[in-house]
Coordinates of all heavy atoms in Angstrom, one line a residue:
M1 N 0.8 -1.2 0.0 CA 0.0 0.0 0.0 C 0.9 1.2 0.1 O 1.7 1.5 0.8 CB -0.9 0.0 1.3 CG -1.7 1.2 1.4 SD -2.9 1.0 2.8 CE -2.0 1.8 4.0
V2 N 0.7 2.1 -1.0 CA 1.4 3.3 -1.1 C 0.6 4.5 -0.7 O -0.6 4.7 -1.3 CB 2.0 3.5 -2.6 CG1 2.8 4.9 -2.6 CG2 2.8 2.4 -3.0
L3 N 1.0 5.3 0.3 CA 0.3 6.4 0.7 C 0.6 7.6 -0.2 O 1.7 7.8 -0.6 CB 0.5 6.8 2.2 CG 0.0 5.8 3.1 CD1 0.6 6.2 4.5 CD2 -1.5 5.7 3.2
P4 N -0.3 8.4 -0.6 CA -0.1 9.6 -1.2 C 0.7 10.6 -0.3 O 0.7 10.4 0.9 CB -1.5 10.3 -1.5 CG -2.5 9.1 -1.3 CD -1.8 8.2 -0.4
R5 N 1.6 11.4 -1.0 CA 2.6 12.1 -0.2 C 1.9 13.1 0.8 O 2.3 13.2 2.0 CB 3.5 13.0 -1.2 CG 4.6 13.6 -0.6 CD 5.5 14.3 -1.5 NE 4.9 15.5 -1.9 CZ 5.1 16.1 -3.1 NH1 5.9 15.5 -3.9 NH2 4.5 17.2 -3.3
K6 N 1.0 13.8 0.3 CA 0.3 14.8 1.2 C -0.4 14.1 2.4 O -0.5 14.5 3.6 CB -0.8 15.6 0.6 CG -0.2 16.6 -0.4 CD -1.1 17.4 -1.1 CE -0.5 18.4 -2.0 NZ -1.4 19.2 -2.7
L7 N -0.9 12.9 2.2 CA -1.6 12.1 3.3 C -0.5 11.6 4.2 O -0.8 11.6 5.4 CB -2.4 10.9 2.7 CG -3.3 10.2 3.7 CD1 -4.3 11.1 4.3 CD2 -3.9 8.9 3.1
G8 N 0.7 11.4 3.9 CA 1.7 11.0 4.7 C 2.1 12.0 5.6 O 2.4 11.8 6.9
W9 N 2.2 13.3 5.0 CA 2.5 14.4 6.0 C 1.3 14.6 7.0 O 1.5 15.0 8.1 CB 2.6 15.6 5.1 CG 3.9 15.7 4.5 CD1 4.2 15.5 3.2 CD2 5.2 15.9 5.1 NE1 5.6 15.6 2.9 CE2 6.3 15.8 4.1 CE3 5.8 16.0 6.4 CZ2 7.6 16.0 4.4 CZ3 7.1 16.1 6.7 CH2 8.0 16.1 5.6
L10 N 0.1 14.4 6.5 CA -1.1 14.6 7.4 C -0.9 13.5 8.6 O -1.2 13.9 9.7 CB -2.3 14.4 6.6 CG -3.6 14.6 7.5 CD1 -3.8 16.0 7.9 CD2 -4.8 14.1 6.6
L11 N -0.5 12.3 8.2 CA -0.4 11.3 9.3 C 0.7 11.6 10.2 O 0.5 11.4 11.5 CB -0.2 10.0 8.7 CG -1.3 9.3 8.0 CD1 -0.9 8.0 7.3 CD2 -2.5 9.1 8.9
I12 N 1.7 12.2 9.7 CA 2.7 12.7 10.6 C 2.3 13.7 11.6 O 2.7 13.7 12.8 CB 4.0 13.1 9.8 CG1 4.7 11.9 9.3 CG2 5.1 13.8 10.7 CD1 5.8 12.1 8.1
A13 N 1.6 14.7 11.1 CA 1.1 15.8 11.9 C 0.1 15.2 13.0 O 0.0 15.6 14.0 CB 0.4 16.8 11.0
Y14 N -0.8 14.3 12.5 CA -1.7 13.6 13.5 C -1.1 12.9 14.5 O -1.4 13.1 15.7 CB -2.6 12.7 12.6 CG -3.5 12.0 13.5 CD1 -4.6 12.6 14.1 CD2 -3.4 10.6 13.9 CE1 -5.5 11.8 14.8 CE2 -4.2 9.9 14.6 CZ -5.2 10.5 15.1 OH -6.1 9.8 16.0
V15 N 0.0 12.1 14.3 CA 0.8 11.5 15.3 C 1.4 12.5 16.2 O 1.3 12.3 17.5 CB 1.8 10.6 14.7 CG1 2.7 9.9 15.7 CG2 1.0 9.3 14.1
A16 N 1.9 13.5 15.6 CA 2.5 14.6 16.6 C 1.4 15.2 17.5 O 1.7 15.4 18.7 CB 3.2 15.7 15.7
V17 N 0.3 15.5 17.0 CA -0.8 16.2 17.8 C -1.3 15.2 18.9 O -1.4 15.5 20.0 CB -2.0 16.6 17.0 CG1 -3.2 16.9 17.8 CG2 -1.6 17.7 16.1
V18 N -1.4 13.9 18.6 CA -1.9 12.8 19.5 C -0.7 12.7 20.6 O -1.1 12.6 21.8 CB -2.1 11.5 18.8 CG1 -2.2 10.4 19.8 CG2 -3.4 11.6 18.0
A19 N 0.5 12.6 20.1 CA 1.5 12.5 21.3 C 1.7 13.7 22.2 O 1.7 13.6 23.3 CB 2.8 12.4 20.5
Y20 N 1.5 15.0 21.6 CA 1.4 16.2 22.4 C 0.2 16.1 23.4 O 0.4 16.4 24.6 CB 1.2 17.4 21.6 CG 1.1 18.6 22.3 CD1 2.2 19.2 23.1 CD2 -0.2 19.3 22.5 CE1 2.0 20.4 23.8 CE2 -0.3 20.3 23.2 CZ 0.7 21.0 23.8 OH 0.5 22.1 24.7
A21 N -0.9 15.7 22.9 CA -2.1 15.5 23.8 C -1.9 14.6 24.9 O -2.3 14.7 26.0 CB -3.4 15.3 23.0
L22 N -1.2 13.4 24.6 CA -1.0 12.4 25.6 C 0.0 12.9 26.7 O -0.2 12.7 27.8 CB -0.5 11.1 25.0 CG -1.6 10.3 24.2 CD1 -0.9 9.0 23.5 CD2 -2.6 9.8 25.2
V23 N 1.0 13.6 26.2 CA 2.0 14.1 27.1 C 1.4 15.2 28.0 O 1.7 15.2 29.2 CB 3.1 14.6 26.4 CG1 4.1 15.5 27.2 CG2 3.9 13.5 25.7
T24 N 0.6 16.0 27.5 CA 0.0 17.1 28.4 C -1.2 16.8 29.1 O -1.3 17.2 30.3 CB -0.3 18.3 27.4 OG1 -1.4 18.0 26.4 CG2 0.9 18.9 26.8
W25 N -2.1 15.9 28.6 CA -3.4 15.6 29.3 C -3.4 14.4 30.1 O -4.2 14.3 31.0 CB -4.5 15.7 28.2 CG -4.9 16.8 27.6 CD1 -4.6 18.1 28.1 CD2 -5.5 17.1 26.3 NE1 -5.0 19.1 27.2 CE2 -5.5 18.5 26.2 CE3 -6.1 16.2 25.3 CZ2 -6.2 19.0 25.0 CZ3 -6.6 16.7 24.3 CH2 -6.7 18.1 24.1
L26 N -2.6 13.4 29.7 CA -2.7 12.2 30.5 C -2.3 12.3 31.9 O -3.0 11.7 32.7 CB -1.8 11.2 29.7 CG -1.9 9.7 30.2 CD1 -3.3 9.2 30.0 CD2 -1.0 8.8 29.4
P27 N -1.2 13.0 32.2 CA -0.9 13.2 33.7 C -2.1 13.8 34.5 O -2.3 13.5 35.6 CB 0.3 14.0 33.7 CG 1.0 13.9 32.4 CD -0.2 13.6 31.4
T28 N -2.8 14.8 33.8 CA -3.9 15.5 34.5 C -5.1 14.5 34.7 O -5.6 14.4 35.8 CB -4.4 16.7 33.7 OG1 -3.3 17.5 33.4 CG2 -5.5 17.4 34.3
A29 N -5.3 13.6 33.7 CA -6.4 12.6 33.9 C -6.1 11.6 35.0 O -7.0 11.2 35.7 CB -6.6 12.0 32.4
V30 N -4.8 11.2 34.9 CA -4.3 10.1 36.0 C -4.4 10.8 37.3 O -4.9 10.2 38.3 CB -2.9 9.6 35.6 CG1 -2.3 8.8 36.7 CG2 -3.0 8.9 34.3
S31 N -4.0 12.0 37.5 CA -4.1 12.6 39.0 C -5.5 12.8 39.3 O -5.9 12.6 40.6 CB -3.4 13.9 38.9 OG -4.0 14.9 38.1
G32 N -6.4 13.2 38.3 CA -7.8 13.3 38.7 C -8.4 11.9 39.1 O -9.2 11.9 40.1
Y33 N -8.0 10.9 38.4 CA -8.5 9.6 38.8 C -8.0 9.2 40.1 O -8.8 8.6 41.0 CB -8.1 8.5 37.7 CG -8.4 7.2 38.1 CD1 -9.8 6.6 38.0 CD2 -7.3 6.3 38.6 CE1 -10.0 5.4 38.5 CE2 -7.7 5.1 38.9 CZ -9.0 4.5 38.9 OH -9.3 3.3 39.3
R34 N -6.7 9.5 40.4 CA -6.2 9.1 41.8 C -6.9 9.9 42.9 O -7.3 9.3 44.0 CB -4.7 9.4 41.9 CG -3.9 8.4 41.2 CD -2.4 8.7 41.4 NE -1.5 7.8 40.4 CZ -0.5 8.0 40.0 NH1 0.2 9.1 40.3 NH2 0.3 7.1 39.3
D35 N -7.1 11.2 42.7 CA -8.0 11.9 43.6 C -9.3 11.4 43.8 O -9.8 11.3 45.1 CB -8.0 13.4 43.2 CG -6.7 14.1 43.2 OD1 -5.7 13.5 43.9 OD2 -6.5 15.2 42.6
L36 N -9.9 11.0 42.8 CA -11.4 10.5 42.9 C -11.3 9.1 43.5 O -12.2 8.8 44.3 CB -12.0 10.4 41.4 CG -12.6 11.6 41.0 CD1 -13.1 11.5 39.5 CD2 -13.7 12.2 41.9
A37 N -10.3 8.3 43.2 CA -10.3 6.9 43.8 C -10.0 6.9 45.3 O -10.5 6.1 46.0 CB -9.0 6.1 43.1
A38 N -9.3 8.0 45.7 CA -9.1 8.2 47.2 C -10.4 8.7 47.9 O -10.5 8.1 49.0 CB -7.9 9.1 47.5
S39 N -11.2 9.4 47.3 CA -12.3 9.9 48.0 C -13.6 9.1 47.7 O -14.4 8.8 48.6 CB -12.6 11.4 47.6 OG -12.9 11.4 46.2
N40 N -13.8 8.7 46.4 CA -15.1 8.0 46.1 C -14.8 7.0 45.0 O -14.6 7.4 43.8 CB -16.1 9.0 45.6 CG -17.6 8.3 45.4 OD1 -17.6 7.2 45.5 ND2 -18.5 9.2 45.3
P41 N -14.6 5.7 45.2 CA -14.2 4.8 44.1 C -15.3 4.5 43.1 O -14.9 4.4 42.0 CB -14.0 3.4 45.0 CG -13.9 3.8 46.4 CD -14.6 5.1 46.6
H42 N -16.5 4.6 43.4 CA -17.5 4.5 42.4 C -17.6 5.6 41.4 O -17.6 5.5 40.1 CB -19.0 4.4 43.0 CG -19.1 3.2 43.9 ND1 -19.1 1.9 43.4 CD2 -19.3 3.1 45.2 CE1 -19.3 1.1 44.5 NE2 -19.4 1.8 45.5
L43 N -17.2 6.9 41.9 CA -17.2 7.9 41.0 C -15.8 7.9 40.2 O -15.8 8.3 39.0 CB -17.2 9.3 41.7 CG -17.3 10.6 41.0 CD1 -18.5 10.7 40.1 CD2 -17.3 11.8 42.0
A44 N -14.8 7.4 40.8 CA -13.6 7.2 40.0 C -13.7 6.1 38.9 O -13.2 6.3 37.7 CB -12.4 6.7 41.0
T45 N -14.6 5.1 39.1 CA -14.7 4.1 38.0 C -15.6 4.8 36.9 O -15.3 4.6 35.8 CB -15.6 2.9 38.7 OG1 -14.8 2.5 39.7 CG2 -15.8 1.8 37.6
T46 N -16.6 5.6 37.3 CA -17.3 6.2 36.3 C -16.4 7.2 35.5 O -16.5 7.3 34.2 CB -18.5 7.0 36.8 OG1 -19.3 6.1 37.7 CG2 -19.4 7.8 36.0
Y47 N -15.6 7.9 36.1 CA -14.7 8.8 35.5 C -13.7 8.1 34.5 O -13.6 8.4 33.4 CB -13.8 9.5 36.5 CG -12.7 10.4 36.0 CD1 -12.9 11.7 35.5 CD2 -11.4 10.0 36.0 CE1 -12.0 12.5 35.1 CE2 -10.4 10.8 35.6 CZ -10.7 12.0 35.1 OH -9.7 12.8 34.6
L48 N -13.3 6.9 34.9 CA -12.3 6.1 34.0 C -13.0 5.6 32.8 O -12.6 5.6 31.7 CB -11.8 4.9 34.9 CG -10.7 4.2 34.2 CD1 -9.5 5.0 33.9 CD2 -10.3 2.9 35.1
V49 N -14.4 5.1 33.0 CA -15.2 4.7 31.8 C -15.5 5.7 30.9 O -15.4 5.6 29.7 CB -16.5 4.0 32.4 CG1 -17.4 3.8 31.3 CG2 -16.3 2.8 33.1
L50 N -15.9 7.0 31.4 CA -16.0 8.1 30.5 C -14.8 8.5 29.8 O -14.9 8.8 28.6 CB -16.7 9.3 31.3 CG -18.0 9.1 31.9 CD1 -18.4 10.4 32.7 CD2 -19.0 9.0 30.8
I51 N -13.6 8.6 30.4 CA -12.4 8.9 29.7 C -12.1 7.9 28.6 O -11.7 8.2 27.5 CB -11.2 9.0 30.8 CG1 -11.5 10.2 31.7 CG2 -9.9 9.1 30.1 CD1 -11.3 11.5 31.0
A52 N -12.2 6.6 29.0 CA -12.0 5.5 28.0 C -13.0 5.6 26.9 O -12.6 5.4 25.7 CB -12.1 4.2 28.7
A53 N -14.2 5.9 27.1 CA -15.2 5.9 26.1 C -15.0 7.2 25.2 O -15.0 7.0 23.9 CB -16.7 6.1 26.7
G54 N -14.6 8.3 25.7 CA -14.2 9.5 24.9 C -13.0 9.1 24.0 O -12.9 9.6 22.9
G55 N -11.9 8.5 24.5 CA -10.8 8.2 23.9 C -11.1 7.2 22.8 O -10.6 7.4 21.6
L56 N -11.9 6.3 22.9 CA -12.4 5.2 21.9 C -13.1 6.0 20.8 O -12.9 5.7 19.7 CB -13.2 4.1 22.4 CG -12.3 3.0 23.1 CD1 -13.3 2.0 23.9 CD2 -11.4 2.4 22.2
F57 N -14.0 6.9 21.2 CA -14.8 7.7 20.2 C -13.9 8.5 19.3 O -14.0 8.5 18.1 CB -15.9 8.6 21.0 CG -16.5 9.4 19.9 CD1 -17.6 8.9 19.2 CD2 -16.3 10.8 19.8 CE1 -18.2 9.8 18.3 CE2 -17.0 11.6 19.0 CZ -17.9 11.1 18.2
L58 N -12.9 9.3 20.0 CA -12.0 10.1 19.2 C -11.1 9.2 18.3 O -10.9 9.5 17.2 CB -11.2 10.9 20.0 CG -11.9 12.0 20.8 CD1 -10.9 12.8 21.7 CD2 -12.4 13.0 19.7
F59 N -10.6 8.1 18.8 CA -9.8 7.2 18.0 C -10.5 6.7 16.7 O -10.2 6.7 15.6 CB -9.3 6.0 18.9 CG -8.6 4.9 18.0 CD1 -7.3 5.3 17.6 CD2 -9.2 3.7 17.7 CE1 -6.6 4.4 16.8 CE2 -8.5 2.8 17.0 CZ -7.2 3.2 16.5
G60 N -11.9 6.2 17.0 CA -12.7 5.7 15.9 C -12.9 6.9 14.9 O -13.0 6.5 13.6
L61 N -13.3 8.0 15.3 CA -13.5 9.1 14.4 C -12.4 9.6 13.6 O -12.4 9.7 12.5 CB -14.0 10.3 15.2 CG -14.5 11.6 14.5 CD1 -15.7 11.3 13.7 CD2 -14.7 12.7 15.4
S62 N -11.1 9.5 14.3 CA -10.0 9.9 13.5 C -9.5 8.8 12.5 O -9.1 9.0 11.4 CB -8.8 10.2 14.4 OG -8.4 9.0 15.2
L63 N -9.8 7.6 12.9 CA -9.5 6.5 12.0 C -10.4 6.6 10.8 O -10.1 6.4 9.6 CB -9.6 5.1 12.7 CG -9.3 3.8 11.9 CD1 -7.8 3.9 11.6 CD2 -9.6 2.6 12.8
W64 N -11.7 6.8 11.0 CA -12.7 6.9 9.9 C -12.3 8.1 9.0 O -12.3 7.9 7.8 CB -14.1 7.2 10.5 CG -15.1 7.5 9.4 CD1 -15.8 6.7 8.7 CD2 -15.4 8.9 9.1 NE1 -16.6 7.4 7.9 CE2 -16.5 8.7 8.1 CE3 -15.2 10.1 9.6 CZ2 -17.1 9.8 7.6 CZ3 -15.9 11.2 9.1 CH2 -16.8 11.1 8.0
L65 N -11.8 9.3 9.6 CA -11.4 10.3 8.8 C -10.2 10.0 7.9 O -10.1 10.4 6.7 CB -11.1 11.6 9.7 CG -10.7 13.0 8.9 CD1 -11.8 13.3 8.1 CD2 -10.4 13.8 10.0
I66 N -9.2 9.4 8.5 CA -8.0 9.0 7.7 C -8.3 8.1 6.6 O -7.9 8.2 5.5 CB -6.9 8.5 8.8 CG1 -6.4 9.6 9.5 CG2 -5.8 7.8 8.0 CD1 -5.6 9.1 10.8
V67 N -9.1 7.0 6.9 CA -9.5 6.1 5.9 C -10.2 6.8 4.7 O -10.1 6.6 3.5 CB -10.3 4.9 6.4 CG1 -11.0 4.2 5.4 CG2 -9.4 4.1 7.3
R68 N -11.1 7.7 5.0 CA -12.0 8.5 4.1 C -11.1 9.4 3.2 O -11.2 9.4 1.9 CB -13.0 9.2 4.8 CG -13.9 9.9 3.9 CD -15.2 10.4 4.5 NE -15.9 11.3 3.6 CZ -17.1 11.0 3.2 NH1 -17.7 9.7 3.5 NH2 -17.8 11.7 2.2
L69 N -10.1 10.1 3.8 CA -9.2 10.8 3.1 C -8.4 10.0 2.1 O -8.1 10.3 1.0 CB -8.3 11.7 4.0 CG -8.9 12.8 4.8 CD1 -7.9 13.4 5.8 CD2 -9.3 13.9 3.8
W70 N -7.9 8.8 2.7 CA -7.0 8.0 1.7 C -7.8 7.5 0.6 O -7.4 7.5 -0.5 CB -6.5 6.8 2.7 CG -5.7 5.8 1.7 CD1 -4.5 5.9 1.3 CD2 -6.2 4.6 1.4 NE1 -4.2 4.8 0.6 CE2 -5.2 4.1 0.7 CE3 -7.4 3.9 1.6 CZ2 -5.4 2.7 0.1 CZ3 -7.6 2.7 1.1 CH2 -6.6 2.1 0.3
R71 N -9.0 7.0 0.8 CA -9.8 6.5 -0.2 C -10.2 7.6 -1.2 O -10.1 7.3 -2.4 CB -11.2 5.9 0.4 CG -12.0 5.2 -0.6 CD -13.3 4.6 0.0 NE -14.0 5.7 0.5 CZ -15.0 5.5 1.5 NH1 -15.2 4.3 2.0 NH2 -15.7 6.6 1.9
N72 N -10.5 8.8 -0.8 CA -10.7 9.9 -1.8 C -9.7 10.3 -2.6 O -9.7 10.5 -3.7 CB -11.3 11.0 -1.0 CG -12.8 10.8 -0.5 OD1 -13.4 9.9 -0.9 ND2 -13.3 11.8 0.4
T73 N -8.5 10.2 -2.0 CA -7.2 10.5 -2.7 C -6.9 9.5 -3.7 O -6.6 9.7 -4.9 CB -6.0 10.6 -1.7 OG1 -6.3 11.6 -0.7 CG2 -4.7 11.0 -2.5
V74 N -7.1 8.3 -3.4 CA -6.8 7.1 -4.4 C -7.8 7.2 -5.5 O -7.5 7.1 -6.7 CB -6.9 5.7 -3.6 CG1 -7.0 4.6 -4.6 CG2 -5.8 5.6 -2.7
N75 N -9.1 7.4 -5.1 CA -10.1 7.7 -6.2 C -9.9 8.8 -7.0 O -10.1 8.7 -8.4 CB -11.6 7.8 -5.5 CG -12.1 6.5 -4.9 OD1 -11.5 5.4 -5.3 ND2 -13.0 6.5 -4.1
K76 N -9.5 9.9 -6.6 CA -9.1 11.0 -7.4 C -8.0 10.7 -8.3 O -8.1 11.1 -9.5 CB -8.9 12.3 -6.5 CG -8.6 13.5 -7.2 CD -8.3 14.6 -6.1 CE -8.2 16.0 -6.9 NZ -7.9 17.1 -5.9
Q77 N -7.0 10.1 -7.8 CA -5.8 9.8 -8.7 C -6.2 8.7 -9.8 O -5.8 9.0 -11.0 CB -4.7 9.0 -7.9 CG -3.4 8.8 -8.7 CD -2.9 10.1 -9.3 OE1 -2.8 11.2 -8.8 NE2 -2.4 10.0 -10.6
A78 N -7.1 7.8 -9.5 CA -7.6 6.8 -10.5 C -8.5 7.7 -11.6 O -8.3 7.3 -12.7 CB -8.5 5.8 -9.9
H79 N -9.3 8.6 -11.1 CA -10.1 9.4 -12.0 C -9.2 10.2 -12.9 O -9.4 10.3 -14.2 CB -11.0 10.3 -11.2 CG -11.9 11.1 -12.1 ND1 -12.9 10.6 -12.8 CD2 -12.0 12.5 -12.3 CE1 -13.7 11.6 -13.5 NE2 -13.0 12.7 -13.2
R80 N -8.1 10.9 -12.3 CA -7.1 11.6 -13.2 C -6.5 10.6 -14.3 O -6.3 11.1 -15.4 CB -6.2 12.2 -12.4 CG -6.4 13.5 -11.9 CD -5.2 14.1 -11.4 NE -5.6 15.2 -10.4 CZ -5.0 15.5 -9.2 NH1 -4.1 14.8 -8.8 NH2 -5.5 16.4 -8.5
D81 N -6.2 9.5 -13.8 CA -5.5 8.5 -14.8 C -6.5 8.2 -15.9 O -6.1 8.1 -17.1 CB -5.1 7.3 -14.0 CG -3.8 7.6 -13.1 OD1 -3.2 8.7 -13.3 OD2 -3.6 6.8 -12.2
R82 N -7.7 7.9 -15.6 CA -8.8 7.5 -16.5 C -9.0 8.8 -17.5 O -9.1 8.6 -18.7 CB -10.0 7.1 -15.9 CG -10.1 5.8 -15.5 CD -11.5 5.3 -15.1 NE -12.2 6.3 -14.2 CZ -12.2 6.2 -12.9 NH1 -11.6 5.2 -12.3 NH2 -12.9 7.1 -12.1
R83 N -9.0 10.0 -17.0 CA -9.2 11.1 -17.9 C -8.1 11.4 -18.8 O -8.2 11.8 -19.9 CB -9.5 12.4 -16.9 CG -10.7 12.4 -16.3 CD -11.0 13.7 -15.7 NE -11.2 14.8 -16.7 CZ -11.0 16.0 -16.3 NH1 -10.8 16.4 -15.0 NH2 -11.0 16.9 -17.3
G84 N -6.8 11.0 -18.4 CA -5.7 11.2 -19.2 C -5.4 10.2 -20.3 O -4.5 10.4 -21.0
Q85 N -6.2 9.1 -20.2 CA -6.1 8.0 -21.2 C -6.6 8.5 -22.6 O -7.5 9.3 -22.7 CB -6.7 6.8 -20.9 CG -6.2 5.9 -19.8 CD -6.9 4.7 -19.5 OE1 -8.1 4.6 -19.9 NE2 -6.2 3.8 -18.9
N86 N -6.1 7.8 -23.6 CA -6.5 8.1 -25.1 C -7.8 7.3 -25.2 O -8.0 6.3 -24.6 CB -5.3 7.5 -25.9 CG -5.3 8.1 -27.3 OD1 -6.1 9.0 -27.5 ND2 -4.4 7.7 -28.1
P87 N -8.7 7.8 -25.9 CA -10.1 7.2 -26.0 C -9.9 5.8 -26.7 O -10.7 4.9 -26.4 CB -10.8 8.1 -27.0 CG -10.3 9.5 -26.7 CD -8.8 9.2 -26.5
S88 N -8.9 5.6 -27.5 CA -8.7 4.3 -28.1 C -8.3 3.2 -27.0 O -8.4 2.1 -27.3 CB -7.8 4.4 -29.3 OG -6.4 4.8 -28.8
Q89 N -7.6 3.6 -25.9 CA -7.2 2.7 -25.0 C -8.3 2.4 -23.9 O -8.2 1.4 -23.1 CB -6.0 3.4 -24.1 CG -4.7 3.6 -24.9 CD -3.8 4.4 -24.1 OE1 -4.1 5.1 -23.1 NE2 -2.5 4.3 -24.4
M90 N -9.5 3.1 -24.1 CA -10.5 2.8 -23.2 C -11.5 1.7 -23.7 O -11.5 1.5 -24.8 CB -11.3 4.0 -22.9 CG -10.6 5.2 -22.3 SD -11.5 6.6 -22.3 CE -11.3 7.1 -20.6
S91 N -12.1 1.0 -22.8 CA -12.9 -0.1 -23.2 C -14.3 0.4 -23.6 O -14.6 1.7 -23.4 CB -13.2 -1.1 -22.0 OG -13.9 -0.4 -21.0
A92 N -15.1 -0.3 -24.3 CA -16.3 0.2 -25.0 C -17.4 0.6 -24.0 O -17.7 0.4 -23.1 CB -16.9 -0.8 -25.9

């Protein structure tokens, strides 16, 4: 599988943003969980489930977006290739 050049740069930027978010927000989320676990274990469990559900939702949404961008890019390139063909090379 060959990725289009612009999509490759987009993936690199996406990984950088995710890494930055994990480095900055993960310690805050963990400390919030620890504070809640010390005071109210049931609320801490709810907090953990909500954080996990939000993370899974964002992961699924970003995966869907990346696949859609890749598919549209591949379809656009195939359309360009078909338009550039000689009419005699096309099927009936």
Side-chain angles (χ1 to χ4, degrees):
M1 174 172 96
V2 175
L3 290 176
R5 191 175 76 210
K6 289 182 182 179
L7 187 60
W9 285 109
L10 181 67
L11 288 176
I12 290 171
Y14 174 74
V15 168
V17 167
V18 168
Y20 174 77
L22 285 175
V23 166
T24 57
W25 293 337
L26 193 59
T28 306
V30 169
S31 68
Y33 173 74
R34 285 184 184 156
D35 294 343
L36 281 174
S39 63
N40 189 349
H42 297 295
L43 191 57
T45 304
T46 304
Y47 177 77
L48 191 62
V49 167
L50 288 175
I51 293 291
L56 284 175
F57 176 74
L58 288 176
F59 176 74
L61 185 65
S62 61
L63 186 66
W64 172 79
L65 181 66
I66 289 169
V67 167
R68 186 167 172 112
L69 285 172
W70 174 76
R71 188 178 61 199
N72 287 347
T73 304
V74 169
N75 287 342
K76 185 177 181 180
Q77 185 61 39
H79 181 69
R80 268 193 204 140
D81 292 344
R82 279 193 308 271
R83 285 186 65 198
Q85 282 184 344
N86 208 355
S88 62
Q89 295 174 336
M90 300 173 130
S91 62

